[in-house]
Amino acid sequence: MSTEHAITNRTLIERLSMSNSQDSNQKPLVAALASQNHAETLKDSEALELVQRRHAHLGGSILFYKEPAHIVKGEGIWLYDNKGNKYLDCYNNVASVGHCHPRVVEALSTQAAQLNTHTRYLHESVVTYCENLAATMPDGLDVVMLTCTGSEANDLAMQLARMMSGNQGAVVMENSYHGNTTLIASLSTCLSAADNRPDYVAAIEPPNTYRGPFRAGEANLGQKYADLADEAIAVLQASGQGVAAFMCDAVFDTQGSLEAPKDYFQQVYAKIRAAGGLCIADEVQAGFGRTGKMWGFENFDVVPDIVTLGKPMGAGHPIAGLVTSRAIADRFAEQAFYFNTFSGNPVSTKVGDTVLAIIQQQQLAQNCADVALHLRTELAKLQHKHPLIGDVRGLGMFIGIELVRDRDSLEPAREAALIIAEQMKAEGILIGATGRYGNVIKVRPPLVFSKDNADLLIEKLDKLLSELAS
Ligand code: PMP
């Protein structure tokens, strides 16, 4: 990675919130949350000591909140701090089936007590898991390659796409985040300014129908946004890079949780394939039931060439991977070698298989769809009542609540989002914020979120919004 591209965590967080900011004098939400001077703000001397020890020896150390959350226990949808305070978790997608699910804990500990090695010995559990995972995918996506993180999965996906296509370039979204390897950091455009990217990266405007170039109410939105890929493809072809892949996160997390027009992906996929590229669905955020369907891409009636997975896959245990076709996997195997010491080990695959079984047996995708419907109805009422809420959107249980100072100018209300995230913690609710301007409250709880949980969230949000307005 060049020095220009060597990004610190702080820079990442600032860019996640600040790129193209209309109001760059204000401290971005996430950066403000992350860069507290705890020596000045933290009253609790025990907590301050831990913060200082952490700062001394933990690289890239980022802490949310003025009073950092010191979480010591998790159970289902609840987190508990060291003082016994209880928090409703509206933020953590990784603990997909709920914190410390007894079946996951049991699977993990039983297998850990028996054996944990690499995949070079025959073992039932990795095979069973890959069979079960592949069975959830559309026909033709049969081959699983396991990694430990979403970044590794996306890196491997790009390697596959480059070999299969013979091209090098990638079409991605503006303000995207796909991971931290050198290659994938360069495809994560929230980490770099537009004039400081390698020429194998071409970024397009995401389909933001609230504040993007084409807005709700206009005709042919899917086509208008998809047509923006034409120029990106042309640029990659003109530079000689060609198109190896299109990589996109179906819930557009770092773009502020967007709902792409229904036909958007079909049209972009057609353009990418016509240019000889592969379509990579980054399902690290969207996958495993969150959108109300098992896979985010199913909301758009497309079948990707490669699906990458991570975060919720092991409910907190580091397992990730990709699923692709036999032809693509074979082409890679002809030319390259893939081994990953930890991926696919018996403990990880037992955990992954248990998480998958829980999602299926408890119908958690359907739960997301049902609870999201209820939450969206209640959020629409809040939007009607509080002018600060400019837009509510998202897929399933990945909901963005965009705060604006003015509903006509759409001026982002970033500081309000900061205050709400801070004060929601004081109210016993953990919530995040995202988007280019840091003004989108992000609701992304474990999949076991219930209607009662949603009502509690609404009650507290209503209270804080009323206080902010008074
Ligand atoms: N893709 C997306 C859409 C992500 O949100 C992330 C993590 N935030 C990644 C990939 C990278 O995953 P990991 O942190 O497990 O490497």
Side-chain angles (χ1 to χ4, degrees):
M1 198 187 285
S2 71
T3 350
E4 288 87 352
H5 288 106
I7 302 292
T8 62
N9 271 343
R10 177 66 47 77
T11 324
L12 157 64
I13 281 187
E14 287 177 357
R15 281 198 191 279
L16 283 172
S17 298
M18 284 190 78
S19 51
N20 301 316
S21 173
Q22 292 170 351
D23 190 5
S24 54
N25 289 330
Q26 302 215 352
K27 210 170 194 183
L29 167 70
V30 190
L33 286 171
S35 62
Q36 310 290 345
N37 183 350
H38 290 105
E40 281 170 17
T41 57
L42 239 177
K43 307 275 178 296
D44 179 340
S45 58
E46 206 183 309
L48 182 58
E49 195 215 329
L50 191 56
V51 167
Q52 286 169 338
R53 280 171 51 209
R54 174 181 158 120
H55 186 66
H57 295 292
L58 182 62
S61 167
I62 288 165
L63 273 172
F64 286 155
Y65 303 117
K66 282 190 182 126
E67 301 275 330
H70 186 165
I71 303 298
V72 293
K73 183 181 149 184
E75 192 174 34
I77 202 73
W78 301 99
L79 287 170
Y80 298 82
D81 72 13
N82 61 332
K83 304 255 164 44
N85 297 312
K86 183 176 172 180
Y87 299 94
L88 179 68
D89 186 358
C90 297
Y91 182 76
N92 291 293
N93 56 340
V94 169
S96 50
V97 294
H99 293 278
C100 305
H101 193 294
R103 279 177 64 189
V104 176
V105 174
E106 213 259 318
L108 185 146
S109 47
T110 306
Q111 186 57 49
Q114 195 169 351
L115 172 77
N116 202 22
T117 62
H118 49 79
T119 50
R120 286 178 169 179
Y121 305 127
L122 202 52
H123 198 277
E124 170 77 27
S125 104
V126 67
V127 179
T128 303
Y129 182 50
C130 292
E131 284 170 351
N132 290 340
L133 194 56
T136 68
M137 292 282 163
D139 287 349
L141 293 176
D142 308 318
V143 182
V144 179
M145 296 175 83
L146 292 167
T147 64
C148 303
T149 69
S151 303
E152 283 183 301
N154 281 334
D155 196 296
L156 187 58
M158 268 310 289
Q159 293 180 47
L160 261 61
R162 284 178 163 181
M163 279 181 197
M164 195 69 189
S165 66
N167 298 326
Q168 293 296 304
V171 177
V172 292
M173 293 295 140
E174 271 301 347
N175 218 57
S176 59
Y177 184 75
H178 295 291
N180 59 22
T181 70
T182 303
L183 173 61
I184 298 304
S186 71
L187 268 55
S188 297
T189 52
C190 73
L191 304 177
S192 59
D195 58 0
N196 193 18
R197 293 176 190 153
D199 62 1
Y200 57 81
V201 178
I204 58 178
E205 271 302 305
N208 185 337
T209 58
Y210 179 63
R211 64 165 68 245
F214 314 112
R215 299 192 177 173
E218 286 181 41
N220 304 325
L221 280 170
Q223 189 200 323
K224 283 177 179 159
Y225 275 107
D227 283 350
L228 299 178
D230 292 338
E231 194 194 330
I233 292 169
V235 166
L236 291 175
Q237 288 174 334
S239 69
Q241 297 290 341
V243 181
F246 167 64
M247 183 179 283
C248 189
D249 154 27
V251 291
F252 298 87
D253 177 12
T254 44
Q255 289 88 9
S257 177
L258 308 179
E259 255 174 85
K262 198 85 186 132
D263 57 341
Y264 173 72
F265 283 100
Q266 287 168 355
Q267 301 208 35
V268 178
Y269 275 29
K271 291 172 190 287
I272 296 292
R273 285 173 174 152
L278 277 71
C279 298
I280 302 171
D282 178 343
E283 292 273 337
V284 169
Q285 293 276 353
F288 291 99
R290 175 150 305 275
T291 66
K293 296 185 184 285
M294 189 64 174
W295 305 113
F297 62 79
E298 291 176 305
N299 293 280
F300 300 98
D301 297 328
V302 287
V303 177
D305 302 297
I306 305 173
V307 181
T308 60
L309 313 169
K311 286 186 185 283
M313 191 168 177
H317 185 81
I319 177 168
L322 63 79
V323 188
T324 190
S325 66
R326 167 57 55 202
I328 294 172
D330 283 352
R331 173 68 65 87
F332 180 80
E334 279 163 20
Q335 297 177 32
F337 164 83
Y338 177 66
F339 177 65
N340 187 323
T341 300
F342 298 114
S343 76
N345 69 67
V347 170
S348 297
T349 47
K350 280 276 184 204
V351 168
D353 205 32
T354 306
V355 171
L356 185 61
I358 295 168
I359 292 171
Q360 291 171 328
Q361 289 159 9
Q362 295 188 13
Q363 301 183 334
L364 292 181
Q366 190 57 46
N367 182 63
C368 277
D370 295 345
V371 178
L373 197 63
H374 174 70
L375 189 52
R376 290 288 291 271
T377 307
E378 296 306 310
L379 283 170
K381 291 182 199 161
L382 285 195
Q383 185 180 10
H384 191 67
K385 183 171 167 192
H386 300 286
L388 197 57
I389 300 183
D391 194 28
V392 179
R393 55 180 183 250
L395 285 180
M397 203 43 77
F398 198 111
I399 297 174
I401 306 163
E402 177 148 4
L403 304 185
V404 290
R405 285 192 180 144
D406 181 295
R407 283 188 179 174
D408 293 323
S409 71
L410 306 187
E411 189 185 340
R414 186 172 30 215
E415 67 298 334
L418 167 63
I419 292 167
I420 286 175
E422 279 284 351
Q423 294 196 352
M424 283 296 260
K425 175 172 162 278
E427 296 285 340
I429 296 204
L430 300 181
I431 205 160
T434 184
R436 276 185 178 177
Y437 314 109
N439 67 324
V440 181
I441 300 282
K442 171 161 85 174
V443 182
R444 187 194 55 178
L447 306 174
V448 291
F449 206 65
S450 69
K451 288 184 186 168
D452 284 349
N453 299 149
D455 289 342
L456 182 60
L457 168 64
I458 291 289
E459 180 198 319
K460 301 293 185 187
L461 203 51
D462 190 19
K463 176 174 175 248
L464 290 185
L465 287 165
S466 303
E467 284 170 12
L468 272 178
S470 62

